[in-house]
Amino acid sequence: MSIAADYLLHVEEILKKTIATQEEALEKAAEMVAESCQKGGRFYVFGSGHSHMVAEEIYIRAGGLAYVKAILPPELMLHEMPNKSTYLERLEGYAEAMLNLYKADEKDTVMVISNSGRNAVPVEMALGAKERGCKVIAMTSLEHSRNTDSRHKSGKKLYEIADVVLDNGACKGDAGFYIEGFDVPTGPTSDSIGIALAQALIAQTIHNLVQKGIQPPVFKSSNVDGADAYNDALFDKYYGYWK
């Protein structure tokens, strides 16, 4: 078997464990998001570093729910400068400013994505969201987070703050795939499993809304003929001047 195929089986094994262990948490999280949608609130999603990709995955895309609003400041991503997001993620006060700018309130649900769940910004994002009355979903690696110290003054880690925790099943350090003759692990899984969890959450939320008699606003692919006018109407309604 090739190394490539072996790695895919490694991911498959973690995904199978995720399916077996995360269904209840997904159902609870989806009900919280559906309730926010019913109240006219938003589903805010946030992640820094590589975790931003999970947040971006469910934001304004084919099959995506128009209630989703991503908090994705570019300085917390990776394309501007190596290590910039790593250093900034440890600064206290940053998340509070983001929550003020996005005007999160008690109608909203906020999902914070952080594999380690230890750094100041994701911890503060969860704490600040709770203070504003928001429901909070954490997507994290419990194995990593339970075996490391918090970098926030509260001493808390992300999973200890959230109303619901989605465990991505990643190992401590994320990269856990070893190649014979080489001692540095490769093959991280937090994003691939995290994206699967996020899309499962959206699917369950849409189902819940339909069961409540609500036709949820869901984007079509802009590469399907006739979708532009349909999507533009959703942009105008849900992504106008701010909220």
Side-chain angles (χ1 to χ4, degrees), residues 14-15 17 54 64 67 93 114 137 149 161 169 182 199 210 225:
I14 297 172
L15 182 59
K17 290 180 182 177
V54 181
Y67 293 111
S114 173
I137 301 165
D149 294 327
I161 303 162
F182 188 65
Q199 290 292 5
V210 171
D225 291 342

Side-chain angles (χ1 to χ4, degrees), residues 109-153:
T109 297
V110 178
M111 181 164 73
V112 183
I113 305 144
S114 173
N115 193 59
S116 70
R118 70 184 303 203
N119 287 307
V121 171
V123 169
E124 189 179 80
M125 185 70 71
L127 287 170
K130 293 280 282 189
E131 288 171 1
R132 288 163 172 78
C134 305
K135 295 294 186 181
V136 175
I137 301 165
M139 185 185 291
T140 192
S141 163
L142 287 178
E143 180 179 333
H144 190 138
S145 198
R146 285 171 173 163
N147 292 286
T148 195
D149 294 327
S150 173
R151 287 179 171 146
H152 187 260
K153 64 184 178 184

Side-chain angles (χ1 to χ4, degrees), residues 80-95:
E80 291 192 335
M81 184 183 296
N83 286 337
K84 183 178 181 181
S85 64
T86 298
Y87 297 143
L88 291 181
E89 189 183 24
R90 300 175 186 178
L91 296 179
E92 296 186 16
Y94 194 99

Side-chain angles (χ1 to χ4, degrees), residues 34-97:
E35 287 177 4
S36 286
C37 297
Q38 284 182 280
K39 294 175 183 176
R42 289 302 192 109
F43 179 31
Y44 286 104
V45 290
F46 168 80
S48 68
H50 283 95
S51 294
H52 95 268
M53 292 188 290
V54 181
E56 191 169 7
E57 169 65 17
I58 56 173
Y59 178 52
I60 306 182
R61 63 154 301 147
L65 191 61
Y67 293 111
V68 174
K69 194 168 187 69
I71 302 175
L72 297 173
E75 58 272 18
L76 289 180
M77 299 183 198
L78 298 163
H79 61 283
E80 291 192 335
M81 184 183 296
N83 286 337
K84 183 178 181 181
S85 64
T86 298
Y87 297 143
L88 291 181
E89 189 183 24
R90 300 175 186 178
L91 296 179
E92 296 186 16
Y94 194 99
E96 183 70 14

